[in-house]
Amino acid sequence: MIPELVTLFRNEYYVELLRHNLPRAFEVADAESRRIQQRRGGQTYESVGQEVGVVRERILVSFLRHTLGDMHIELPTANTAMRDVMVFQQPLEIKTATRDGLVTAKWTADTESASRDIGGFEFTADLLLARIWWGMDKDSIFYIPQEVLREVAAGQEPADYLSSAQGTNNRGIKIKAGFINQAQEHPATVRIPIYWERSDIRLDPMARWMGFWSDRGGRDPLYA
């Protein structure tokens, strides 16, 4: 458990900041990640690309940096173990899911590596999970300490609470719904309800890149 995160998620000011701003931030992430796809027969439709997960993760990390300070937040580098973020020198995994969708424990390349990774899996970090419930007011942010994950997993084999798809296009190892629900409801888990109201944002994902190509006298339009 990271005590500073428990304190943060029980601070009324910062909880309200999160509740007020996260839906809009995630709606922008959706808008920036939208793409046009085509069905058989030529009919087109809009969908949100998988890259939205990375953008959502950055939004949550930026919240931690804003509230806890940059000096206490360490992002992964080429020379460190793969963790989403280190908070006060302790590892934190960040996951997002739409509604009650399954949570990915680990990304893998194929069925063989998934089977191998499931066999040797263990929880080695706290989990910050955000569930998106558009149009609803529900518990949405869950800070689940590593101790809770290990307690729920105690007495089970990893294969009892993990699963993976078959085939070469394997998208990773998923945590089964019953396990994650039990962890979410654990007394030591911090839960924050959010009302997921849409703002009907109309955003051109190319707009800021159009500015990149404009002559701004050497000023970088992406960050200026």
Side-chain angles (χ1 to χ4, degrees), residues 161-177:
Y161 54 85
L162 300 175
S163 63
S164 66
Q166 300 298 309
T168 57
N169 190 25
N170 192 306
R171 295 184 59 194
I173 300 169
K174 303 288 186 180
I175 305 175
K176 293 181 180 179

Side-chain angles (χ1 to χ4, degrees), residues 30-39 43-49 201-205:
D30 284 0
E32 289 187 337
S33 303
R34 287 195 177 279
R35 59 179 64 175
I36 303 298
Q37 299 197 27
Q38 190 172 38
R39 295 189 177 94
Q43 185 180 7
T44 60
Y45 66 98
E46 276 192 335
S47 68
V48 177
I201 292 173
R202 296 291 181 264
L203 179 69
D204 180 359

Side-chain angles (χ1 to χ4, degrees), residues 10-28:
R10 288 178 176 165
N11 182 298
E12 291 185 9
Y13 174 81
Y14 290 122
V15 166
E16 187 57 31
L17 182 69
L18 190 63
R19 296 184 67 190
H20 180 74
N21 290 291
L22 193 64
R24 178 173 173 80
F26 274 20
E27 190 175 4
V28 170

Side-chain angles (χ1 to χ4, degrees), residues 102-121:
L102 294 180
V103 176
T104 301
K106 185 176 183 179
W107 294 102
T108 57
D110 51 43
T111 302
E112 181 180 351
S113 59
S115 299
R116 181 179 62 251
D117 290 345
I118 287 177
F121 183 85

Side-chain angles (χ1 to χ4, degrees), residues 177-208:
F179 180 97
I180 203 69
N181 288 340
Q182 189 176 347
Q184 289 177 181
E185 296 302 320
H186 193 282
T189 293
V190 181
R191 295 176 291 276
I192 299 175
I194 291 179
Y195 174 45
W196 292 89
E197 182 179 14
R198 286 192 181 274
S199 304
D200 293 325
I201 292 173
R202 296 291 181 264
L203 179 69
D204 180 359
M206 303 293 179
R208 68 184 181 125

